[in-house]
Amino acid sequence: MSLSVLSNFRSVFTAPDIAIDLGTANIRLYASGHGLIADEPSMIKVRPDDGTIEAVGSGATQLSPDQTQSELISPMREGVVADVDAASALIKPLLKRARWFGLRRPRVLACAPTDACDEERAALIEATRRAGASAVALAPEPLAAAIGIGMDVSSIYAQMIVDIGDGVTDIAVIRSGSLVATSAVRIACSNLVTAVCQSVAQEHGIEPYHREAERLTWRVGAVRSPQFSSPFAVAGADCQTGLQRRVYVHGHEVVAAMTPVLDTIVSAVRDAVKDLPPEIGCEIIESGLHLTGGGACLPGLAKLLAEETSLDVHAARNPLRAVINGARQMLITGAQTELWAVS
Ligand SMILES: Nc1ncnc2c1ncn2[C@@H]1O[C@H](COP(=O)(O)OP(=O)(O)OP(=O)(O)O)[C@@H](O)[C@H]1O
Ligand SMILES: [Mg+2]
């Protein structure tokens, strides 16, 4: 019998352990023995007449001829599960990708923001169990992100991580394997895109397509005095007629729209640094601030945070997968500890 047949045979009886990063914009799953099995939008496509789920993840966001008939639903709001049914509908088919005959249900390590309240944690556990998990443990997202970027979290010297996702900016200081300070604001990249959409609607009379507004946000970023020679073409639906229209938006308009949101994010990070006890603050000056999540891709944000906090800011090399990469590594220790106690 070949090795792969043997291992498939064994997998009937030993379900893989799964790590999940269920984010506001993206869901990522890792299965032991399989690798990364999903990195897709946190979306489900539902038929409004009878609530039938037609597709999840990437399948939900792909354009199809019946697009107008279906409704896209996001189970997440500001980093936490807002709709347990929709979240379990999203997770279930993705979990199945790692099952062979499925005699055993997998154990799941799911990541949550540090400021998630008991009800929000319970909603994530419930959605994951309903999706087919036999036991669920939760891990703080910034701790997973820190491990995912290769930080030595067992170091006795404090290190700071800021994960700026779609719905939440999660800030943590890690020392000797523990979170010694945390704070979070439920303001992140989605608020930047919304602010740009509102500004374009107000100034140009079109509701930009989400993808277009997102691209504009990524292009302009957090650079305070951008030197753009020409305006950006943006397509969207005319606010009056609903017809498709293209407008030209200047970089400075985008900067003006994004500035209040960026100020909120920067203030949250600055306050978190200011509130640290002096000895931890000194250690952070040495180790700097590590940036993960989609926000780390925004041009100029690392520089802006460095100016505002006087710290060295390091944007992660693979910021979008930092949390899932860390959760994957936590699965290994989880299998040997009491991590699975929550179920
Ligand atoms: N290249 C990029 N440049 C700038 N922003 C980006 C880029 N790629 C993704 N983003 C932004 O990052 C966000 C998604 O990041 P991420 O996947 O870390 O969020 P999430 O984990 O789903 O959300 P959260 O952790 O807040 O619940 C989106 O809002 C997107 O606009
Ligand atoms: Mg995230």
Side-chain angles (χ1 to χ4, degrees):
M1 213 181 288
S2 77
L3 262 182
S4 73
V5 171
L6 259 181
S7 80
N8 281 338
F9 183 71
R10 198 170 50 234
S11 74
V12 175
F13 301 102
T14 56
D17 289 333
I18 309 269
I20 299 182
D21 171 17
L22 177 52
T24 316
N26 301 298
I27 179 167
R28 296 162 181 118
L29 272 86
Y30 169 89
S32 58
H34 295 255
L36 190 73
I37 54 169
D39 185 349
E40 304 182 17
S42 300
M43 285 285 181
I44 61 171
K45 191 153 97 177
V46 176
R47 252 205 333 249
D49 45 356
D50 59 2
T52 310
I53 291 150
E54 294 185 325
V56 307
S58 305
T61 53
Q62 269 159 17
L63 289 175
S64 62
D66 65 338
Q67 193 74 1
T68 50
Q69 311 288 316
S70 309
E71 196 183 342
L72 273 182
I73 294 179
S74 165
M76 306 294 290
R77 208 73 72 234
E78 299 176 342
V80 293
V81 171
D83 181 335
V84 173
D85 291 337
S88 79
L90 170 65
I91 300 167
K92 195 172 186 169
L94 304 180
L95 268 190
K96 278 195 180 143
R97 288 183 188 170
R99 288 171 74 179
W100 212 50
F101 291 127
L103 290 185
R104 295 267 316 269
R105 295 186 300 142
R107 300 181 298 185
V108 173
L109 176 69
C111 300
T114 54
D115 70 336
C117 66
D118 288 347
E119 288 77 18
E120 290 163 343
R121 285 162 200 255
L124 176 57
I125 292 171
E126 177 61 17
T128 312
R129 286 189 67 96
R130 276 201 226 163
S134 62
V136 186
L138 298 187
E141 272 170 14
L143 181 62
I147 295 170
I149 60 168
M151 188 187 281
D152 174 11
V153 294
S154 67
S155 167
I156 56 165
Y157 300 106
Q159 299 171 91
M160 188 167 200
I161 185 140
V162 178
D163 184 84
I164 306 176
D166 189 65
V168 59
T169 296
D170 211 344
I171 306 159
V173 176
I174 301 165
R175 194 199 221 184
S176 303
S178 303
L179 299 178
V180 290
T182 61
S183 55
V185 280
R186 301 221 172 162
I187 301 280
C189 294
S190 66
N191 303 86
L192 292 170
V193 179
T194 304
V196 169
C197 283
Q198 284 168 349
S199 162
V200 173
Q202 211 168 351
E203 300 300 321
H204 300 272
I206 68 157
E207 194 63 57
Y209 298 131
H210 186 264
R211 201 75 200 142
E212 295 265 307
E214 205 169 42
R215 260 194 236 121
L216 192 54
T217 310
W218 298 358
R219 179 84 176 80
V220 174
V223 181
R224 284 282 154 101
S225 321
Q227 309 291 320
F228 298 116
S229 47
S230 50
F232 301 96
V234 182
D238 188 284
C239 294
Q240 302 293 330
T241 63
L243 295 173
Q244 183 174 341
R245 193 151 73 81
R246 184 180 299 279
V247 296
Y248 291 88
V249 179
H250 284 278
H252 64 79
E253 296 175 53
V254 184
V255 173
M258 289 169 75
T259 297
V261 181
L262 288 169
D263 284 349
T264 307
I265 295 171
V266 170
S267 300
V269 177
R270 215 180 24 219
D271 290 349
V273 175
K274 258 198 318 219
D275 290 347
L276 292 172
E279 76 277 10
I280 293 187
C282 288
E283 290 170 12
I284 298 297
I285 292 172
E286 285 297 311
S287 55
L289 184 162
H290 296 264
L291 203 55
T292 61
C297 303
L298 268 190
L301 188 53
K303 184 165 174 279
L304 180 63
L305 284 170
E307 284 165 5
E308 297 287 335
T309 61
S310 305
L311 293 172
D312 289 335
V313 178
H314 315 281
R317 256 184 312 194
N318 191 358
L320 291 157
R321 291 196 178 155
V323 170
I324 194 65
N325 283 340
R328 173 177 71 91
Q329 293 176 54
M330 291 169 91
L331 277 181
I332 299 163
T333 28
Q336 297 154 2
T337 63
E338 293 305 305
L339 193 63
W340 306 106
V342 190
S343 61

